[in-house]
Amino acid sequence: MPKKIRPIRIEGNIAYVPLTQGYEAIIDVTDVDIVSGVNWYVRRDGGQVYAGCNIPKNESGKRGHISMHRLIMGNPQQMEVDHRDANGINNRRGNLRVASKSQNQANRKTSKLNISGFKGVSPYKRDGTWHARISKDGKRFCLGYYKTPEEAHLAYINASSEMHGSFGRTK
């Protein structure tokens, strides 16, 4: 007996794709045909939630998976697909863009482990100042040491604007 496919709900120009664990992915109605016919599940990566599905075995007999956002964007090889709003299950085309790994990393949210509360800012324990740092293309850059975390964050904001452009996230 074939497995029952969970139905996609359509409201206007938005479609809601049911996932496991009570989540729903959001897509444009024009993409319903691309994602229909399979059951999608929640895939977690680094604290982020994404929609994924299993794909058939390849020539070597290995079964794989694909993320919904990659499928919608045509699975660009050697590139990543970035969610502008950092919501991994908002897969509307206006929220997705093809990106390099560095660009995708620049759009990450501030880590929950961050002590300062500001992206790119950490305490420098030796002298009680605040260290501002930024990364691009796998290289870290020191932006200086500041008396307050707010001053250090301002340095990060300015550098992010220059280095990351529209991919820069400062929160």
Side-chain angles (χ1 to χ4, degrees), residues 31-45:
D31 292 323
V32 167
D33 288 343
I34 296 171
V35 305
S36 62
V38 297
N39 281 323
W40 292 87
Y41 57 83
V42 166
R43 187 178 63 77
R44 296 181 187 273
D45 184 9

Side-chain angles (χ1 to χ4, degrees), residues 27-102:
I27 63 170
D28 295 315
V29 167
T30 55
D31 292 323
V32 167
D33 288 343
I34 296 171
V35 305
S36 62
V38 297
N39 281 323
W40 292 87
Y41 57 83
V42 166
R43 187 178 63 77
R44 296 181 187 273
D45 184 9
Q48 182 65 273
V49 174
Y50 298 97
C53 78
N54 292 322
I55 56 177
K57 293 179 181 179
N58 62 19
E59 312 79 53
S60 63
K62 289 189 177 182
R63 189 173 182 175
H65 76 274
I66 189 165
S67 296
M68 185 183 290
H69 58 277
R70 290 194 64 79
L71 184 64
I72 288 170
M73 294 299 285
N75 197 19
Q77 299 302 302
Q78 313 305 317
M79 296 295 283
E80 296 189 6
V81 176
D82 178 56
H83 292 80
R84 292 176 195 271
D85 67 358
N87 177 351
I89 56 176
N90 179 359
N91 293 319
R92 299 189 70 194
R93 285 187 185 261
N95 189 48
L96 302 177
R97 56 189 169 181
V98 176
S100 68
K101 181 172 181 142
S102 182

Side-chain angles (χ1 to χ4, degrees), residues 5 30-31 103 113 121 128-129 136 161:
I5 304 297
T30 55
D31 292 323
Q103 289 170 323
L113 302 175
V121 177
T129 59
K136 183 172 183 179
S161 176

Side-chain angles (χ1 to χ4, degrees), residues 8 13 84 109 135 155 163:
I8 296 173
N13 62 352
R84 292 176 195 271
K109 290 181 179 180
S135 297
M163 295 172 78

